[in-house]
Amino acid sequence: MTMDAAPTVHGVLSPAGPRRMRGPARRLVIDNDWAGDPDGLLALAHHLLSSDRVDGVTSSLTSPMFPGADSGAVRGVEAARALIAVAAPESAGRTAAGAERAGGGPSEASRLIVDAARRDDPLPLTIVCAGPLTNVAAALAEDPSIAARARLVWVGGAVGDVFEYNRDTDPEAAAAVFATEIAIEQYPLETYRACTFSLAELEAELTRTAVGGAVWDAFTALEFPTRFPVGEVWHLGDSLPLLATSLAAGDPPSAPRVVHTEVDFRLIVGDMAAKFALHDRRLAGAPTH
């Protein structure tokens, strides 16, 4: 008996960026407080230029500590749309703003999440959240059955008994989500605070490219709370979910709840810089190999 030869699989490049040899492994809904710390926008651009399919981008409220007459959910989705237009206008699905207050009920954002989870699709759904869990909690409250149809990758919470922005901006939402059966991969404060980048390095790196320049503009335009003076470094923790999505080394963890304490931050920033540069080369019509 002879064994058939394994089929040859060729890699491909899409306009948005390098793809896995067999295409995207999952579809994503990406949720964040886009009107807050702009490292969320940096992570969004990175996801858009990576291998997974982005089916939706939703915006949550910011903490009252941020300047502004509103909570920033609508301003946030506008910022996300502006970046999508630069980074990958053909690669993102729907966008929607969430509730403008902590503990808010159903919103366009929560309905987008529910619709994505209910959709019959061969690709599994991952909800990426690097902000308050307001929109995720509202979606799970609207349809608890979606807990079995998606997994959540969340930047937030803490191992120690300390204040943590993403959890404590809407603690009721975080408690409600963790009370469900949804599978969660978590990057807590102790992990994401270790992912620091020099602001000088960040400016030098981002201003080299069109996508990076758009993100850097968001950094320089940020109205930051005066109670938190800015030093010479910035935490890029919102990029950590890429280690569980497009840059994942293997299948998702089998355990329903995983807290990540060690991460490969070099992989994230190296891949980000390369994808931003390759995106510029593709736009210019230059060869990428």
Side-chain angles (χ1 to χ4, degrees):
M1 183 176 68
T2 60
M3 298 291 291
D4 292 335
T8 300
V9 179
H10 297 283
V12 297
L13 288 175
S14 80
R19 298 287 185 181
R20 292 172 186 264
M21 288 193 299
R22 291 185 174 88
R26 60 192 64 77
R27 55 199 173 98
L28 307 177
V29 171
I30 306 178
D31 183 88
N32 207 318
D33 53 337
W34 309 112
D37 292 2
D39 60 308
L41 293 172
L42 180 66
L44 174 60
H46 196 173
H47 262 117
L48 289 168
L49 297 181
S50 295
S51 59
D52 289 317
R53 196 178 85 207
V54 179
D55 280 3
V57 176
T58 55
S59 176
S60 66
L61 76 163
T62 60
S63 168
M65 72 175 66
F66 276 89
D70 58 16
S71 75
V74 171
R75 286 186 290 112
V77 80
E78 291 170 351
R81 287 169 180 162
L83 180 63
I84 290 167
V86 176
E90 75 293 337
S91 294
R94 295 165 54 194
T95 58
E100 289 281 6
R101 60 179 178 83
S107 64
E108 290 186 12
S110 66
R111 284 188 286 271
L112 187 158
I113 294 170
V114 170
D115 290 348
R118 288 175 174 170
R119 189 176 306 130
D120 186 16
D121 194 291
L123 294 179
L125 176 66
T126 297
I127 303 166
V128 174
C129 181
L133 285 167
T134 306
N135 297 331
V136 181
L140 287 164
E142 181 177 341
D143 185 353
S145 72
I146 69 171
R149 299 177 63 88
R151 70 181 179 119
L152 171 66
V153 179
W154 183 46
V155 179
V159 176
D161 184 17
V162 294
F163 171 84
E164 195 283 313
Y165 175 89
N166 291 340
R167 179 193 61 207
D168 295 327
T169 294
D170 194 346
E172 291 79 11
V177 170
F178 274 77
T180 71
E181 297 299 317
I182 193 169
I184 301 174
E185 287 189 63
Q186 180 182 1
Y187 295 90
L189 176 146
E190 291 82 358
T191 304
Y192 72 70
R193 278 297 178 101
C195 298
T196 56
F197 208 74
S198 157
L199 275 174
E201 287 182 290
L202 194 61
E203 179 180 5
E205 184 59 55
L206 293 183
T207 54
R208 298 176 196 270
T209 62
V211 173
V215 176
W216 183 250
D217 287 344
F219 269 87
T220 56
L222 174 66
E223 294 184 60
F224 203 66
T226 55
R227 61 182 283 196
F228 293 107
V230 177
E232 294 216 11
V233 298
W234 199 276
H235 304 293
L236 299 184
D238 284 9
S239 295
L240 288 177
L242 280 128
L243 295 173
T245 59
S246 299
L247 299 181
D251 294 330
S254 57
R257 300 285 165 89
V258 175
V259 178
H260 292 284
T261 57
E262 295 184 4
V263 295
D264 188 349
F265 188 53
R266 186 225 61 83
L267 172 61
I268 292 174
V269 297
D271 186 72
M272 174 202 73
K275 283 174 178 166
F276 286 9
L278 287 171
H279 178 68
D280 268 13
R281 291 175 64 179
R282 277 186 288 275
L283 289 179
T288 57
H289 57 83

